[in-house]
Amino acid sequence: MTRASAIVGTLLLSHMPTPLFQSQQRCAGLVARWSSVAGTRIPALRTVVVVGGGARRRLSLLRIGGVRSAEHVGKGSALGQARLVRGKTAVTCAAGGSFVAQPSSRRKAAKKDFPPDEKLANLRKEFEKAADNKGLDAYIIPSEDAHQSEFIADCYMRRAYISGFTGSAGTAVVTKEKAALWTDGRYFLQAENELGHEWTLMRAGTPGTPSTSEWLKETLPEGARVGIDPFLFSADAGDELRRTLAEKDQELVLVYEDNLVDKVWGDARPEPPSNSLRVHELRFAGVDVATKLANLRKELSSVGATAMVVTMLDEVAWLLNMRGNDVPHSPVAYAYVVVELETATLFVDDSKVSHEVSAHLNEAGVSIKPYSSLVSEIKRLAAEGAKLWLDSARVSVAIKNAFDDACAQYYEDLEIARSRKRGSKEQTTMDKEELDGPAALHRPSPVGIAKAIKNEAELEGMRQAHLRDAAALSEFWAWLECEIVDGKKKISEVEVADHLEKFRAKQSGFLDTSFETISGSGPNGAIVHYRAEPATCGHVDDKLLFLLDSGAQFVDGTTDITRTVHFGAPSSRQKECFTRVLQGHIGVDTAVFPENTPGFVLDAFARASLWKIGLDYRHGTGHGVGAALNVHEGPQSVSARFGNMTGLQQGMIISNEPGYYEDRAFGIRIENLLIVREEDTANRFGGVTFLGFERLTFVPIQAKMLDLELMSDQEIKWLNDYHTEVWNKVCPDFSYFRKVHAKNCILHIVY
């Protein structure tokens, strides 16, 4: 007997006092189509009859599981045997036929007969005039802004402007003869498609690919001068680059005058954002600003610091319980905060501060100064002998150098004064001034970890936001499947993303999407961070696998979810890959581990099933998520990169998103958000608390994508339990539903 995939029938309806769904029939249709089963040996538990609009439909609600016969155990991979085809490795699929693995480095066209890149030519002209006309041999253009942000305002997208590559991560390096771009595995295919003919793609993290500094050291001659904008590099990154270049007597040049890309960009460069700040209400923040500042000052005092500069935009927003709108999809504003033992100052453009925000800050004892005056304030702190807490992994080269230079000036002036007063009573006073003089304390920001560990108000806001998001997504999926399956329509990837945003916008508290929606059909799904454009996007239909990664910013929380679906008949290969991705997802979801375990320890749980058949994916398994803040936050993560030793703690939120991507064929990813919580274990070895996860995301997983022969009873039980939880958390009481919506759609449960 054939084994068809089945799903616990899940009609997602509102748990809220008012209806969250605009179309109850669409949602009922979702249950009908996603739960239909043919030829299965698994018995139906109950039947639902949907009545409405003159139509009557009977469907089975199925529970996957029960007794598994011996022939369904240990079947292994359905991919078949590898063989050589025209000198390349090919794999015969269970469904017949074969595919040829193409190298991802193959470019679209030969690099000839193309006109010169005018942007590169104009940038190279600026080399001659840079650094007081001493000239440069190379210039590095990072992705970040002056706050080391991942997502940035349009006016700071310098790397995207000069290279044409629009991914959120990457570094461009331009010499007098060459142009190269480094990016990670999420963006290899996207970069191939977007880079011009004069650019070389450097696949960061792959064997044999040098770092930017190593490449510069080998490419440029001795004595070469490499320029950077010191506001765009962290102090640590700048030091590493300087040390590597010095190995070949090359010089790192800090170009403080106008950014060279800005000069090329000229009048076409967008204006800096000037959107207003808003107060983040205490009922969502959970802790007031005065308390947060008091806690931070305790941290400063504990290490002997007297001041700290907060540079990360989400840390500024969290610390002061305010939000902004300067960066697309992220509720932050361009600002700094300097916290001293008695005072706190926000550096922001005054035009962004409303009367409400001003009163909010004044109540907490926070003064306001112009955004552009930060460097002079850093110098003042040094002149007054401050012990400044600096996170050198986040603070810019420019800020660190400003403080270091001012400290050097302080001690130089003190030495001059001492030499004049040597032997006098005043020398004793000067010796004390030296002991009390300024110093930099290089330590990780304490704001980052405080922000990452959510309080109960923040966690509850996230729970509520995710339930509303689940309602919007269920209606969206019902609409989309009806359009494609019943309506036989092809809908563009861009239209899909636009419609999803409209469904979300119906929910209370919706503000924006939390990132650019990744709507990838067929081969576009293999581009991990694909961005659909109207002129070039693909279409969603019943022939291709469809990956949708999206999220929302609500006033009380931030969401991020990925589902991969097929509206027709998925191939056996797609089903096996999907099943193995789900097994990895379950592995992380069900993990129990000691408190303060670094996230990289859990990464192998997500990859183990894929590794068994020689597959993997080129991105991390999980990232931190802010509470009504940035969709990506640190310091916690789950990744194969084991350099991040941040331990997972109760109250943190991470994503769980393993995947698999077959270049130019399809992509698969399954993503939920999780809260780190304490587990009630039978034992506590060594007195250690053990942790696990609470799910935030409640949207069905399309079970027809599963190869049940690969799944254990425990994994099948997990899926059933998850869909039961979806039903219970998002659906209303049926009697209420029948009473309120009887005219439109009536459900009868028959056991």
Side-chain angles (χ1 to χ4, degrees), residues 56-73:
R56 181 178 180 89
R57 181 177 292 156
R58 181 175 296 272
L59 59 137
S60 295
L61 300 184
L62 303 173
R63 182 166 299 277
I64 305 172
V67 179
R68 293 166 58 81
S69 57
E71 71 265 22
H72 295 137
V73 179

Side-chain angles (χ1 to χ4, degrees), residues 28-51:
L30 178 66
V31 182
R33 285 187 289 268
W34 284 32
S35 299
S36 59
V37 175
T40 180
R41 64 179 176 83
I42 306 173
L45 293 184
R46 59 195 183 192
T47 299
V48 173
V49 178
V50 182
V51 181

Side-chain angles (χ1 to χ4, degrees), residues 82-139:
R83 57 191 178 87
L84 289 178
V85 178
R86 297 187 300 278
K88 298 183 177 64
T89 300
V91 176
T92 302
C93 302
S98 62
F99 70 93
V100 177
Q102 297 288 352
S104 61
S105 58
R106 179 170 292 179
R107 299 302 299 270
K108 301 179 293 185
K111 295 184 177 181
K112 60 181 181 179
D113 301 327
F114 286 100
D117 188 319
E118 290 188 13
K119 294 176 184 177
L120 286 177
N122 291 335
L123 179 62
R124 288 168 175 142
K125 290 178 183 177
E126 296 294 335
F127 285 9
E128 304 300 323
K129 299 178 283 184
D132 297 325
N133 292 317
K134 295 180 181 178
L136 298 173
D137 297 289
Y139 191 64

Side-chain angles (χ1 to χ4, degrees), residues 143 157-172 181-184 186-196 199 201 529:
S143 299
M157 292 184 178
R158 300 178 175 103
R159 189 226 61 225
Y161 169 77
I162 201 69
S163 69
F165 168 62
T166 60
S168 65
T171 300
L181 181 127
W182 280 254
T183 191
D184 61 59
R186 296 172 296 171
Y187 298 104
F188 289 168
L189 291 179
Q190 181 178 344
E192 285 184 359
N193 292 334
E194 293 181 342
L195 289 175
W199 287 88
L201 173 60
H529 277 196

Side-chain angles (χ1 to χ4, degrees), residues 220-298:
L220 299 177
E222 291 185 6
R225 292 163 54 84
V226 178
I228 65 170
D229 183 332
F231 285 94
L232 304 185
F233 281 76
S234 72
D236 283 353
D239 287 344
E240 187 274 334
L241 182 59
R242 180 181 288 105
R243 286 194 300 269
T244 304
L245 295 177
E247 294 173 3
K248 197 174 178 180
D249 294 326
Q250 295 168 341
E251 180 183 0
L252 180 64
V253 180
L254 306 182
V255 183
Y256 277 94
E257 59 263 32
D258 290 343
N259 184 284
L260 299 192
V261 175
D262 291 352
K263 290 185 175 182
V264 175
W265 210 339
D267 294 338
R269 182 180 175 228
E271 291 293 323
S274 58
N275 301 303
S276 297
L277 296 166
R278 60 180 171 86
V279 176
H280 187 56
E281 295 181 47
L282 183 59
R283 63 189 174 117
F284 302 134
V287 179
D288 60 46
V289 178
T291 301
K292 290 182 178 181
L293 290 174
N295 291 338
L296 179 55
R297 287 170 178 138
K298 289 178 184 177

